[in-house]
Amino acid sequence: MQRGELEPSQALERLVHLPFVDTPHARVDTHRALRSGLPEVVYGPGKTARQIAEVVRVQRGAGLAVLVTRIDAATADAVLREVPGGEYDAPARLLCYADGEAPVRGKGTVLVVSAGTSDLAVAAEAAGVARHYGNPVETLHDVGIAGIHRLLASSEQLRKARVLIVVAGMEGALPSVVGGMVDKPVIAVPTSVGYGASFGGVAALLGMLTSCASNVCVVNIDNGFGAAHVATLINRL
Amino acid sequence: MQRGELEPSQALERLVHLPFVDTPHARVDTHRALRSGLPEVVYGPGKTARQIAEVVRVQRGAGLAVLVTRIDAATADAVLREVPGGEYDAPARLLCYADGEAPVRGKGTVLVVSAGTSDLAVAAEAAGVARHYGNPVETLHDVGIAGIHRLLASSEQLRKARVLIVVAGMEGALPSVVGGMVDKPVIAVPTSVGYGASFGGVAALLGMLTSCASNVCVVNIDNGFGAAHVATLINRL
Amino acid sequence: MQRGELEPSQALERLVHLPFVDTPHARVDTHRALRSGLPEVVYGPGKTARQIAEVVRVQRGAGLAVLVTRIDAATADAVLREVPGGEYDAPARLLCYADGEAPVRGKGTVLVVSAGTSDLAVAAEAAGVARHYGNPVETLHDVGIAGIHRLLASSEQLRKARVLIVVAGMEGALPSVVGGMVDKPVIAVPTSVGYGASFGGVAALLGMLTSCASNVCVVNIDNGFGAAHVATLINRL
Amino acid sequence: MQRGELEPSQALERLVHLPFVDTPHARVDTHRALRSGLPEVVYGPGKTARQIAEVVRVQRGAGLAVLVTRIDAATADAVLREVPGGEYDAPARLLCYADGEAPVRGKGTVLVVSAGTSDLAVAAEAAGVARHYGNPVETLHDVGIAGIHRLLASSEQLRKARVLIVVAGMEGALPSVVGGMVDKPVIAVPTSVGYGASFGGVAALLGMLTSCASNVCVVNIDNGFGAAHVATLINRL
Amino acid sequence: MQRGELEPSQALERLVHLPFVDTPHARVDTHRALRSGLPEVVYGPGKTARQIAEVVRVQRGAGLAVLVTRIDAATADAVLREVPGGEYDAPARLLCYADGEAPVRGKGTVLVVSAGTSDLAVAAEAAGVARHYGNPVETLHDVGIAGIHRLLASSEQLRKARVLIVVAGMEGALPSVVGGMVDKPVIAVPTSVGYGASFGGVAALLGMLTSCASNVCVVNIDNGFGAAHVATLINRL
Amino acid sequence: MQRGELEPSQALERLVHLPFVDTPHARVDTHRALRSGLPEVVYGPGKTARQIAEVVRVQRGAGLAVLVTRIDAATADAVLREVPGGEYDAPARLLCYADGEAPVRGKGTVLVVSAGTSDLAVAAEAAGVARHYGNPVETLHDVGIAGIHRLLASSEQLRKARVLIVVAGMEGALPSVVGGMVDKPVIAVPTSVGYGASFGGVAALLGMLTSCASNVCVVNIDNGFGAAHVATLINRL
Amino acid sequence: MQRGELEPSQALERLVHLPFVDTPHARVDTHRALRSGLPEVVYGPGKTARQIAEVVRVQRGAGLAVLVTRIDAATADAVLREVPGGEYDAPARLLCYADGEAPVRGKGTVLVVSAGTSDLAVAAEAAGVARHYGNPVETLHDVGIAGIHRLLASSEQLRKARVLIVVAGMEGALPSVVGGMVDKPVIAVPTSVGYGASFGGVAALLGMLTSCASNVCVVNIDNGFGAAHVATLINRL
Amino acid sequence: MQRGELEPSQALERLVHLPFVDTPHARVDTHRALRSGLPEVVYGPGKTARQIAEVVRVQRGAGLAVLVTRIDAATADAVLREVPGGEYDAPARLLCYADGEAPVRGKGTVLVVSAGTSDLAVAAEAAGVARHYGNPVETLHDVGIAGIHRLLASSEQLRKARVLIVVAGMEGALPSVVGGMVDKPVIAVPTSVGYGASFGGVAALLGMLTSCASNVCVVNIDNGFGAAHVATLINRL
């Protein structure tokens, strides 16, 4: 029997001294970049251009890259007027500030597959973030399962990817089919696309969680960012 | 402008004289066989062997075929002891009373496709009822979408069917894939197979309702009987 | 025991060579028209007039008919300005491009029945698509079950139809009543009409799925298009 | 402007002196019989025969009638052994103790209508309680809407009732049809009969709440007792 | 055993000849007024002023009263410009057309009780419709159960009513308390008032359906009209 | 055995004489201030500036403090123009009328902890109300559990509080962690922040209700006011 | 701006040295008793008598009290045979091991109020735990709101309590009424008592979360233990 | 623009010749082992010992390893009697057949972390499968977030893992805390442990899907197997 209080864990000691910065509205975790090896990310919705600009300025002041997600064109413009030097990716609704291209640290290709044209925005977010995080990224769009030959024709591409992100709304079955065709981890992203019994993405979410393909794991509805984050960590292994 | 009360609809006049039989517990619709061209069906669960036997006896007394669904082996035995002459199909949980084979009236093949071995009971019910209703029936089992080549290898068989019944639990995506491979109506049956986020068939049901294949329509969870009924009516057209 | 790898399925071989067209945003399934015998359909919501026009132009360029669903008048106008020659059906929210009338290939009448005046838009979509797909179409509106004599007065018309589409919101019980009056397949369409416990069509959807009439199958909430698609395939048998 | 504290409401004064009896496990509301004009009712499930017998004994000791609902045959037997003199109604699962027949105080007929044979238990509870409460009761069973002529044939009986209780599971549409045929209040009782998308009575419940017939009000799933209670109060007006 | 086809039900014969009027968009049930003894009601939402005016004109042309529910002030104005002679009740969102006051046919008082000031709109609808339907109506507002003395002070008024409509949002408990204080039928109306876990009236709806007071029955969320309709039928008994 | 009617409870007698004021739209509970020891609170949403001003005027006329919650800046301005003398707290959306500072009656510190910057509005409401109610209040923001060292660094502050209010959206896990670090009551407030599977605060609500820390109790989604109310009562003990 | 890494928080240092004990199946938090001032609690369901006995033995070996919740009589017997010296409270399903009576540390009375006889088990758990934790406890049973005079008659007792736990199933409205009668914190416990639309306690849970009384906070369904835990912490303030 | 029909994809050609074996009840995918590099897995529930033994025998006959999941001791015994040579892991409910130890192919450690003792069964399944699949596996149990120091004390172990599986019921917040402490992918497994508002694992599932830690992805409730499968594929990269 081992007594916990007898081992003064070095990790915990270190934890005491982890850095953060108290601002009027936030306790910014400046250690996160070190800890996760990834730049700070700001979730755009519900924040004013001013609030976003403030965070961006702090990060840039510290010489750090920063990424704003789900930001519409108008807000991005306003932020860029306050803090120039960023780049806006409209379909992905991403605003990126960085010093040059992200160095490629991903060891293989992250392939972003999407089912229908309405899933493109979420797929673009996933692809954009994955690129910003230093992954070689490929995309394969509009290969929904009701015309399965379109997907089959790209099976080589599927098999060459190191990590796959599969984006689908409606019944969300694409990850199951893709999962059965590859021996790599598949990160499934349900989208809120659809109407009626799709219940804002719930049908797709449940379909992905109950996938008969065992190499599928799932992130939140429309969470292209999270999928790219997980894919990045996997791709750096 | 047409005034409804001025047209003494002959159909309605006839409706007044439609036959039924009042028994102690039921107002039996003896006209249904004529109306739908299909034998009486008794839904087994919640009924005692005695109650079932009573209905069977009445129908047989009138020289009519009768079909009991979702009846377990023990109850079927008890019914058969009271009213001999029926045949029990164990995997399909069907007890059939008829005078010889059902005459084939379906014009083509009803193909029953199922995703996993756990969907076999519902698929068997669908196939059994369809046969009892006079359809040529074929089955194709264990062709879940996570091993898509198994389904593709049978695509000729899929295309030759006149009506398709597709049975699947879990994410319920098989009807979408099948639907994309044929130009015939597909009747999707979600099953309650699964655990966790399958919620007793809800995941499969939602997946089928939001199918990206437009030739898919849906019946209730585990309702193999209903699927066969609809398929039969279509196959007689 | 049959070994799958020994039968080089011809169907699969053919599948390899199925046509599609890669555009910047979509992998267009140009084979679908052949496969399903039905023209391409574009789901309008979430697409700009420009995006819709682009797809329409491609299809028209290939000499194919195309149908846009759930498109409002303003967007339809914009599309028509970019690609003239289409026809807009306002109540049905359909924009159709075709070379003359669709040839009638349906063998009987598709009857579209609806419960209340608020269900008219969905019923119009179903009827419009069915017509566009080459079916003789009849409609019967405002025959909700709380004034059952209105429905009964049309029972002849019900019985003459080859396939029935029944559209209803609220408790969604009309398909059950109609289903009991005919011996043909009934495709039920729940609508999102209602408030409170109708939960955007869920009450109607559940009611239709649990219908006590066995000849009823169901499509997604408000999915008049899907109902017409299924009805068309049935009516061509 | 009226000041509440200036009016020493006589009703409230009386409320202070309302009778109840504190027992070890309950604060029995002996005034309820006076207040509601109806005998005490004990909800059986979750109570032992001993607990039920104890309450029955107290009521009988005070010369009052008492009714136990949802009590199975075995428990009823055990209670009757401890407190003789009651009568058990097996299909309705009711155990009644009273001094002779309940005096008829209802001014018209309470008609209990039910859809399928599986709804009989709930309908029997409603009918049994209504009788015990002094109403002339009629019943009409097995008139589900998928064979509408069975219901139409009894439309005179429907119209003669003063209050109607309509019991249905599955899609729960019978109250809407009945409601459209009469000008009397209809109390709808959803039952938990069904499977899959009936969700233990939820489909029927939602269907009844969203009924297109405006003279329908609803009680809890399987609550035959509550329906009879409300019907009784209405029928005494 | 009685054979249904042997009794040519007179009621059914009459049903054949029930009147209705086919208009371009509706099969108007002109018999409803006779059948239910109540004027036609038009549910406003989703209809244009033009559509509403058209129905109103038809009814008025036939010398019938008509009531439009849930109609906002602007639409009501527009309707009144097209068909003068109606009266708009703003808090109740009712537009009434009638020839003079409705003759009082209700035998006692319909009392409309509401819990909070936010429930006033639904309560006003209930009270307005009940008055329009010929009932003496009283109201008691703002007597939520968290200040129970306000309700107790009016217990005489509660007890004098012949039928009670109780309107409440949030936890929807007021009908239970009122139900325990009277021996009359209580019609409970859940409102969509509230936020968070009230889920648009679901909390109140469930609370009312599971009320521990047995004289409570329930109508749909916000359905003040339906409550008044049921109350009217009861009050005419 | 004790007979209730024999004890003329003094409390009940007093209840009869509790004060309230009937206004056109409300039965104002003027006794509440005495009863709860806390000023009247007006829930802003759904009320016009005029309606709010009316209530405020009545309270101020009686020399009482009053607090309006969830009132936006525009409405607050309008109310202040009609009834000057109040103070608007924009982030907390509170409008307070009082005679000077609230006397401090809370015996210790109420600490308001929040997880992310998007939870600030609800946290501000909680803190603002707690201050208005006479509590010393401290706040600790942006200490979400994905950067646990930020929370750990403030553990002394957590432990010094007498009552804690913990506000979190998304998975709502912060109260569990905080609850494990203190031996004081923790009032958890789920917020509607989040998207997809957060379902408007349901994920956070369920997380808090099933917390593995036993000293956590929960109020409604976004209900910062309620949390402050409960915390105040606790802090006065 | 304050830099977190500059303040070597003493609290955190201490956290490093907090004690726990690693056993084969658990990392037992032996510091919890110190931290929360309350004995270890074992949640019974899903554990064998052997597993429970093992934990109990460890705690007793360390001279600590321990409480097992939701343990049935048979399991309790088995545990007592392995580790004698405990006391079993059958209605509360609690097994307590302690050295003599718990010293009274609560400063006032914890009053446990329950609505119906079916809520007694949960109320007994709450009362039993509160007593075991050193609180003076009173109980008030069977005071459901449909017979409000029973509750009113005890209003003095309600007002004298320092903390109130209110237990109710069905519509769960009792906490709202009690909350309006006292100026103390009310901890509401929904129970899973009920059927149909009570959905295993969901109706009561929602009702309590949306209570119109602001001094109500809520714990999980049937969580009598949690309510007593929170009440104890409050009562020690 | 690239024409799909012009590229006779070699991958697709190969797909035509993928092997499977048709047995009476299943179309066994013998290619899966090659495709996924992992042995066949049989999901136990709903299958008889005979059915399981049959599949095992086939696989063993082909010299392949096979793993049966969620199999209870009695069934495992029966299978072992029919097909000796397997090994049963009781806590993990796994039955494994293999030729010696699985060769280690995982490149780092898979760490399985679980929150409470009730989550052990799911954690054991995850760990057992991961070992069977050739991963070095470590476990860390009983480190729920309400005693956060237990988790902190193992932060070194957390950081050394290459992939983490985090298992939790109740509020399911452990993955968020762990996710914030590491820069590796975290696979979260919600368990059905809990009662009331945990809704059989839904609370935990939603909590994990909405995690504020971006390196968390989720599998189905209780799906320890799926988590191990995904972790294995990641660990082989």
Side-chain angles (χ1 to χ4, degrees), chain C:
Chain C
M1 197 172 287
Q2 174 212 12
R3 295 223 144 236
E5 80 268 40
L6 299 182
E7 51 166 15
S9 148
Q10 289 181 315
L12 234 182
E13 296 282 359
R14 275 213 305 274
L15 206 61
V16 181
H17 303 284
L18 281 187
F20 56 80
V21 179
D22 275 337
T23 72
H25 295 107
R27 175 164 280 195
V28 180
D29 184 356
T30 50
H31 180 253
R32 191 180 300 171
L34 300 176
R35 214 165 63 234
S36 71
L38 295 171
E40 182 74 12
V41 173
V42 180
Y43 179 68
K47 300 204 180 69
T48 63
R50 177 142 311 178
Q51 290 174 313
I52 294 171
E54 182 182 350
V55 182
V56 169
R57 198 176 287 116
V58 171
Q59 293 287 321
R60 297 308 288 154
L64 297 169
V66 62
L67 181 63
V68 189
T69 63
R70 304 220 189 155
I71 180 170
D72 57 65
T75 311
D77 271 3
V79 175
L80 282 165
R81 271 193 302 274
E82 294 212 29
V83 192
E87 211 165 318
Y88 184 60
D89 176 350
R93 289 168 303 163
L94 292 170
L95 176 60
C96 311
Y97 287 86
D99 301 310
E101 287 263 303
V104 171
R105 289 188 46 195
K107 298 184 179 166
T109 299
V110 172
L111 176 61
V112 180
V113 186
S114 61
T117 51
S118 334
D119 302 314
L120 282 176
V122 175
E125 184 184 81
V129 172
R131 265 189 214 103
H132 185 73
Y133 277 6
N135 297 281
V137 173
E138 291 182 16
T139 60
L140 180 58
H141 294 314
D142 204 18
V143 291
I145 61 171
I148 198 79
H149 65 290
R150 295 175 297 180
L151 181 67
L152 298 176
S154 297
S155 52
E156 266 321 280
Q157 190 182 15
L158 293 174
R159 236 159 281 170
K160 281 178 188 155
R162 198 160 186 256
V163 194
L164 296 99
I165 293 171
V166 184
V167 180
M170 319 278 287
E171 78 268 64
L174 186 57
S176 296
V177 177
V178 169
M181 295 171 72
V182 303
D183 60 345
K184 295 294 186 308
V186 172
I187 302 162
V189 191
T191 69
S192 54
V193 165
Y195 62 90
S198 76
F199 296 127
V202 168
L205 173 64
L206 298 186
M208 290 169 178
L209 285 168
T210 58
S211 172
C212 52
S214 308
N215 52 345
V216 172
C217 63
V218 187
V219 296
N220 196 3
I221 296 166
D222 289 336
N223 191 8
F225 163 70
H229 191 120
V230 176
T232 298
L233 295 185
I234 294 174
N235 200 25
R236 291 189 174 187
L237 290 178

Side-chain angles (χ1 to χ4, degrees), chain B residues 56-159:
Chain B
V56 169
R57 198 176 288 116
V58 170
Q59 294 286 323
R60 297 306 289 153
L64 297 169
V66 63
L67 181 65
V68 189
T69 63
R70 303 217 190 157
I71 180 170
D72 58 63
T75 311
D77 272 2
V79 174
L80 283 165
R81 272 194 301 275
E82 293 212 31
V83 191
E87 212 166 318
Y88 184 60
D89 176 351
R93 290 167 306 163
L94 291 171
L95 177 60
C96 312
Y97 286 87
D99 301 309
E101 287 264 302
V104 171
R105 289 187 48 195
K107 298 183 178 167
T109 300
V110 172
L111 175 61
V112 179
V113 187
S114 61
T117 52
S118 334
D119 302 314
L120 282 176
V122 175
E125 184 183 82
V129 171
R131 267 190 212 100
H132 186 73
Y133 277 5
N135 297 283
V137 174
E138 292 182 17
T139 60
L140 180 59
H141 294 316
D142 205 18
V143 291
I145 62 170
I148 197 80
H149 64 291
R150 295 176 297 180
L151 181 67
L152 298 177
S154 297
S155 53
E156 266 322 279
Q157 190 182 15
L158 292 175
R159 236 159 281 171

Side-chain angles (χ1 to χ4, degrees), chain H residues 82-161:
Chain H
E82 294 213 31
V83 192
E87 212 167 318
Y88 184 60
D89 176 350
R93 289 167 305 162
L94 291 170
L95 177 60
C96 312
Y97 288 86
D99 302 309
E101 287 263 303
V104 170
R105 288 187 48 196
K107 297 184 179 167
T109 299
V110 172
L111 175 61
V112 180
V113 186
S114 61
T117 52
S118 333
D119 302 314
L120 282 175
V122 175
E125 184 183 82
V129 171
R131 266 189 212 102
H132 185 73
Y133 277 5
N135 296 283
V137 174
E138 291 182 17
T139 60
L140 180 57
H141 294 315
D142 205 21
V143 292
I145 61 171
I148 197 78
H149 64 291
R150 294 176 298 179
L151 181 67
L152 298 177
S154 297
S155 52
E156 265 322 279
Q157 189 181 15
L158 293 174
R159 235 159 282 171
K160 281 177 188 156

Side-chain angles (χ1 to χ4, degrees), chain F residues 180-193:
Chain F
M181 294 170 71
V182 303
D183 60 346
K184 294 296 186 307
V186 171
I187 302 163
V189 191
T191 70
S192 54
V193 167

